[in-house]
Amino acid sequence: MDAQMQFEIDFGNLMAFNPHHTFPSLPSSREDLVKECLEKGTELVQAIAQKLFNLPSTEDVDGPLVKLPPPTTRLPREKPLPKPKPPTKWEVFAKARGIKNRKKDKVEYDEQSGTWKRRYGYDRANDEENIPIIEAKMTDEPGEDPFAKRRTDKKNRVEKQEKNRQQNLKQAAKVGALPSHVQLAATALPITGTPAAPKKVTKDELGNVAGIAASATASGGKFDKKLPGEKPAQHKGKYRKFLPVVEGKGLGSQEREQTEKVLNKLISKNSHEIFNVDKAVNMYNVKKEKKRKYQKDKSSPTSSKLKPKTKPYKKGSSSSKKGSSFSNKGSSYSKKGSSSSNKGASKKGKAK
């Protein structure tokens, strides 16, 4: 308890400090130093927790709540103070003319509906787009659409406002006081018109760029003029090696050995498919049987005449079958005619 009374506790920052503790100048080992730091840190955390539970608290659904007093210790900032933002063009102009900003109400009276509506945003008061009739003025040009002119004027105002916003960001970027919501985007993609931060190029990167530029020609930079002190471009990759065509000793016999090696590998893998004896015998027997049948049909013409000549018909309409029967009748008619002519020829021969 006496040790805890020596601690200086700041509840505002939830921080505790022991001013009487000192570490040895030459610790025995790093492990002993880490162990001692953990022990002393545990004691400080326990002192803070004990003091917190002694403070007055209020009950809540999530548990007891304690209101912390304001901090007493001024801690250093993690990051430097932000630079002051430069004034915009309007702020400079307003300051020179003595114009002061007046805070407007968020609600405005709408003359059309006779009610109070919001000044800006959706369903705002006195919205120009909801006005059905526009009164003509003496300065209006004849034949001009007032609604189209109003849309064009609004578009020009929006573009002008965006241009002014970009100019203000450029001025802030020069000073180094960009807003927090734009700072990250500006580091990756700088605002148009502002010079990007110069990047230091290393010697290797310059050499790579020079090598790419030198080898960009059709010859790969072989016939280009070299600058004084310029090294030849390095060939990144492997060169393709071709074996000599003429056989001989050494490399001359490698092509033949390589070819034989590939053939032996293929033959050893597919040796069972190179020559199949059963398949060859079956093919020979089939060919022999076909040849025997062909010779048998050729040697006996009478048997072939006695067989009815039938042609395979395709599946189709009945008209095709009728046409085929008509052609058969015609063929039989021609045969009768040929037989009659033969009879006539025999009678003439007898008369002679």
Side-chain angles (χ1 to χ4, degrees):
M1 187 68 182
D2 297 336
Q4 291 184 2
M5 292 297 292
Q6 296 177 358
F7 298 154
E8 294 180 1
I9 300 174
D10 183 7
F11 287 108
N13 294 321
L14 290 177
M15 183 187 71
F17 175 65
N18 187 2
H20 303 287
H21 180 266
T22 56
F23 287 99
S25 58
L26 295 174
S28 58
S29 65
R30 185 176 178 82
E31 295 179 357
D32 296 340
L33 182 61
V34 171
K35 187 177 180 181
E36 186 178 358
C37 290
L38 290 174
E39 290 177 357
K40 296 300 178 183
T42 306
E43 292 178 2
L44 294 173
V45 172
Q46 288 177 353
I48 294 172
Q50 187 175 357
K51 291 283 185 180
L52 280 176
F53 281 104
N54 291 333
L55 291 175
S57 61
T58 57
E59 292 295 331
D60 192 49
V61 179
D62 300 328
L65 296 178
V66 177
K67 186 177 181 181
L68 297 176
T72 58
T73 308
R74 297 185 64 182
L75 298 177
R77 288 178 59 89
E78 181 186 0
K79 296 179 181 178
L81 289 170
K83 296 181 181 180
K85 187 179 177 182
T88 61
K89 283 186 175 182
W90 167 250
E91 291 174 352
V92 174
F93 176 77
K95 188 178 180 180
R97 296 294 181 91
I99 302 172
K100 296 181 180 180
N101 290 333
R102 291 182 301 171
K103 191 174 181 180
K104 297 181 181 180
D105 295 332
K106 294 183 179 180
V107 182
E108 189 180 5
Y109 182 76
D110 187 16
E111 297 178 357
Q112 223 176 359
S113 61
T115 57
W116 291 86
K117 294 184 178 180
R118 60 172 65 92
R119 187 181 292 273
Y120 305 106
Y122 173 74
D123 194 20
R124 60 183 179 272
N126 302 323
D127 190 3
E128 296 178 353
E129 296 181 358
N130 293 335
I131 297 175
I133 300 173
I134 300 175
E135 295 181 1
K137 299 179 182 178
M138 298 296 294
T139 56
D140 291 345
E141 295 182 4
E144 187 179 12
D145 187 2
F147 295 97
K149 184 183 178 183
R150 180 172 287 181
R151 286 193 296 268
T152 306
D153 293 342
K154 183 179 178 181
K155 184 178 179 182
N156 294 335
R157 287 198 306 270
V158 172
E159 290 177 355
K160 185 180 178 181
Q161 184 67 20
E162 180 65 21
K163 186 178 178 182
N164 293 337
R165 190 182 72 86
Q166 294 287 346
Q167 291 291 336
N168 294 332
L169 288 176
K170 289 177 188 178
Q171 294 295 331
K174 290 179 181 178
V175 182
L178 278 172
S180 58
H181 65 279
V182 184
Q183 195 168 4
L184 291 175
T187 53
L189 297 172
I191 304 166
T192 309
T194 56
K199 182 183 175 182
K200 291 183 179 180
V201 184
T202 60
K203 185 179 178 181
D204 296 335
E205 290 178 352
L206 287 174
N208 293 336
V209 173
I212 292 170
S215 60
T217 58
S219 61
K222 185 177 180 180
F223 304 103
D224 296 344
K225 293 181 180 180
K226 303 292 182 183
L227 297 173
E230 183 180 359
K231 296 180 181 179
Q234 296 180 357
H235 178 79
K236 293 183 178 181
K238 297 180 180 179
Y239 287 95
R240 188 176 177 185
K241 295 180 180 180
F242 296 94
L243 296 173
V245 180
V246 182
E247 293 187 6
K249 296 180 180 179
L251 293 174
S253 61
Q254 283 187 3
E255 186 176 4
R256 184 176 180 181
E257 293 175 359
Q258 187 176 357
T259 308
E260 290 178 353
K261 187 178 179 181
V262 173
L263 289 174
N264 291 333
K265 194 173 182 180
L266 291 173
I267 290 170
S268 63
K269 279 186 177 181
N270 304 324
S271 59
H272 60 284
E273 296 179 2
I274 292 172
F275 184 72
N276 194 342
V277 179
D278 297 335
K279 191 174 181 180
V281 171
N282 290 335
M283 291 175 66
Y284 177 75
N285 292 335
V286 170
K287 287 183 179 180
K288 190 174 180 181
E289 186 68 21
K290 285 183 179 180
K291 190 175 181 180
R292 187 181 63 78
K293 285 183 179 180
Y294 177 74
Q295 289 178 356
K296 185 179 179 181
D297 294 340
K298 194 174 182 181
S299 60
S300 57
T302 54
S303 61
S304 62
K305 288 182 180 179
L306 295 174
K307 290 180 180 180
K309 293 182 179 181
T310 57
K311 293 183 180 180
Y313 296 110
K314 294 182 180 178
K315 293 181 179 180
S317 60
S318 58
S319 60
S320 59
K321 293 181 180 180
K322 292 178 181 179
S324 59
S325 60
F326 179 78
S327 61
N328 290 333
K329 290 178 181 179
S331 60
S332 60
Y333 177 77
S334 60
K335 284 181 180 179
K336 289 179 181 179
S338 59
S339 60
S340 61
S341 60
N342 290 333
K343 289 179 181 179
S346 59
K347 284 181 182 180
K348 287 181 181 179
K350 290 179 180 180
K352 286 179 180 180

